[in-house]
């Protein structure tokens, strides 16, 4: 499904000088048929026998164990599959980044790849989004994809805008203060660990405590994977996001607070 999604993304990359191609252990005939059915216009390269895959050391040598996690066996025609991932090459053809997943079913969204690699998004897209205006801080949660499919890795981003002159506390904090934290719930899904930006050192005149704080714009990122198997109920899924925090200035602290936002994301129509 990532190959299909990337086709749509390629069509939106007119503003970027980008070359895209994919490598698979499938035969030329299989890839030709897939390309025709899904209107793929970028090159699909057939690595029959997984020669290049082995040379790049991305062969999934634990395929039996990975399939067992999903309650299925391994067919002979599945031998030779690689770990799913992306090599990013710079203008000189040098690999600048490797982005690979733990097994062949997990995929990053193509939109996230675009955002992370190029720092750009697709024009005209409406992404799941929710915003709350709290005292001294605005909170916005949004996804990197308008839809999901099984085992796709989406990224949830929570942006906080702190009013000038105020800050949020980061861990660790002295007793009596509340550090910024994020809780994400979605069923059935696997939620990764939040990634927070570096905090800044902060001291209050007259106090001995050392504080670490966030000021201005703060982004937290969390990977989310919907893990349903084929046959499980699909449709819309709700991601519940709870942000706990405490807003303070050099002289005033508000009571600890928690804000909850709900994002609804629909299943990609051609996910099967």
């Amino acid at each position: 499904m990532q190959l299909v999604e990337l086709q749509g993304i390629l069509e939106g990359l007119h503003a970027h000088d980008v070359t895209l191609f994919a490598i698979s252990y499938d035969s030329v005939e299989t890839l030709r048929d897939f390309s025709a059915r899904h209107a793929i216009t970028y090159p699909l390269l057939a690595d029959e026998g997984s020669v290049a895959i082995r040379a790049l050391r991305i062969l999934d040598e634990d395929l039996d164990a990975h399939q067992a996690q999903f309650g299925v066996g391994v067919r002979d025609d599945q031998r030779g599959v690689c770990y799913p991932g992306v090599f990013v090459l710079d203008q000189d053809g040098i690999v600048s980044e490797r982005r690979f997943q733990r097994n062949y079913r997990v995929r990053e969204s193509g939109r996230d790849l675009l955002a992370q690699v190029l720092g750009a998004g697709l024009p005209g897209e409406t992404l799941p989004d929710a915003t709350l205006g709290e005292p001294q801080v605005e909170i916005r949660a949004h996804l990197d994809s308008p839809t999901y499919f099984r085992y796709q890795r989406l990224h949830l981003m929570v942006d906080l805008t702190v009013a000038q002159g105020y800050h949020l506390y980061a861990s660790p904090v002295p007793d009596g203060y509340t550090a910024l934290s994020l809780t994400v719930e979605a069923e059935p899904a696997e939620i990764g660990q939040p990634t927070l930006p570096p905090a800044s050192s902060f001291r209050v005149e007259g106090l001995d405590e050392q504080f670490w704080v966030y000021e201005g714009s703060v982004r937290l990122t969390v990977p989310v994977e919907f893990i349903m198997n084929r046959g499980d109920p699909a449709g819309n899924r709700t991601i519940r996001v709870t942000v706990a925090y405490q807003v303070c200035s050099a002289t005033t602290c508000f009571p600890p607070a928690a804000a909850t936002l709900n994002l609804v994301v629909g299943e990609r129509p051609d996910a099967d």
Side-chain angles (χ1 to χ4, degrees):
M1 291 312 306
Q2 191 182 44
L3 296 180
V4 179
E5 185 186 25
L6 286 171
Q7 173 61 39
I9 287 173
L10 183 65
E11 295 168 357
L13 287 179
H14 57 277
H16 300 276
D17 184 13
V18 175
T19 300
L20 176 68
F21 62 90
I23 300 174
S24 169
Y25 75 118
D26 293 301
S27 67
V28 171
E29 292 75 18
T30 298
L31 293 179
R32 182 183 295 119
D33 178 66
F34 181 88
S35 179
R37 284 188 290 114
H38 296 284
I40 302 295
T41 60
Y42 60 88
L44 302 183
L45 308 181
D47 181 26
E48 294 189 68
S50 301
V51 177
I53 288 171
R54 294 176 191 276
L56 292 169
R57 299 181 181 180
I58 55 175
L59 178 71
D60 188 347
E61 297 181 345
D62 297 314
L63 187 59
D64 292 275
H66 290 151
Q67 285 283 60
Q69 293 176 5
F70 307 116
V72 295
V74 179
R75 303 191 311 267
D76 288 341
D77 64 341
Q78 293 176 317
R79 302 291 180 185
V81 70
C82 67
Y83 288 100
V86 174
F87 288 103
V88 180
L89 281 65
D90 63 19
Q91 292 181 336
D92 297 320
I94 297 173
V95 175
S96 59
E97 189 174 354
R98 298 173 79 255
R99 303 174 67 89
F100 280 80
Q101 309 305 324
R102 66 180 182 273
N103 69 57
Y104 80 97
R105 286 202 178 191
V106 177
R107 298 288 193 275
E108 286 188 288
S109 76
R111 290 162 180 81
D112 184 57
L113 288 172
L114 181 65
Q116 303 251 354
V117 173
L118 298 177
L122 291 181
E125 280 198 320
T126 300
L127 302 175
D129 182 288
T131 301
L132 280 177
E134 299 290 286
Q136 283 69 50
V137 60
E138 181 177 275
I139 304 171
R140 174 178 177 244
H142 56 107
L143 289 173
D144 63 350
S145 175
T147 56
Y148 74 91
F149 58 84
R150 294 167 177 82
Y151 294 101
Q152 180 185 30
R153 174 171 293 170
L154 303 179
H155 283 83
L156 167 70
M157 287 158 283
V158 179
D159 293 324
L160 298 97
T161 303
V162 185
Q164 186 174 4
Y166 291 89
H167 56 259
L168 308 178
Y169 289 111
S171 294
V173 291
D175 291 342
Y177 297 89
T178 298
L180 175 65
S181 65
L182 180 66
T183 302
V184 179
E185 301 170 282
E187 293 291 342
E190 182 176 306
I191 311 298
Q193 291 297 314
T195 300
L196 285 78
S200 302
S201 176
F202 183 83
R203 286 189 176 276
V204 177
E205 185 176 355
L207 297 180
D208 294 331
E209 289 97 343
Q210 169 71 57
F211 296 97
W212 294 95
V213 301
Y214 298 114
E215 299 174 299
S217 298
V218 184
R219 168 166 288 185
L220 297 80
T221 305
V222 184
V224 178
E225 296 171 22
F226 290 100
I227 56 175
M228 309 92 69
N229 293 311
R230 291 184 183 277
D232 289 348
N236 292 346
R237 301 288 169 179
T238 299
I239 301 176
R240 183 180 177 88
V241 181
T242 302
V243 183
Y245 61 94
Q246 186 172 17
V247 178
C248 293
S249 68
T251 58
T252 304
C253 271
F254 289 85
T260 298
L261 305 90
N262 292 312
L263 298 180
V264 178
V265 55
E267 185 182 30
R268 187 183 177 100
D270 55 356
D272 289 331

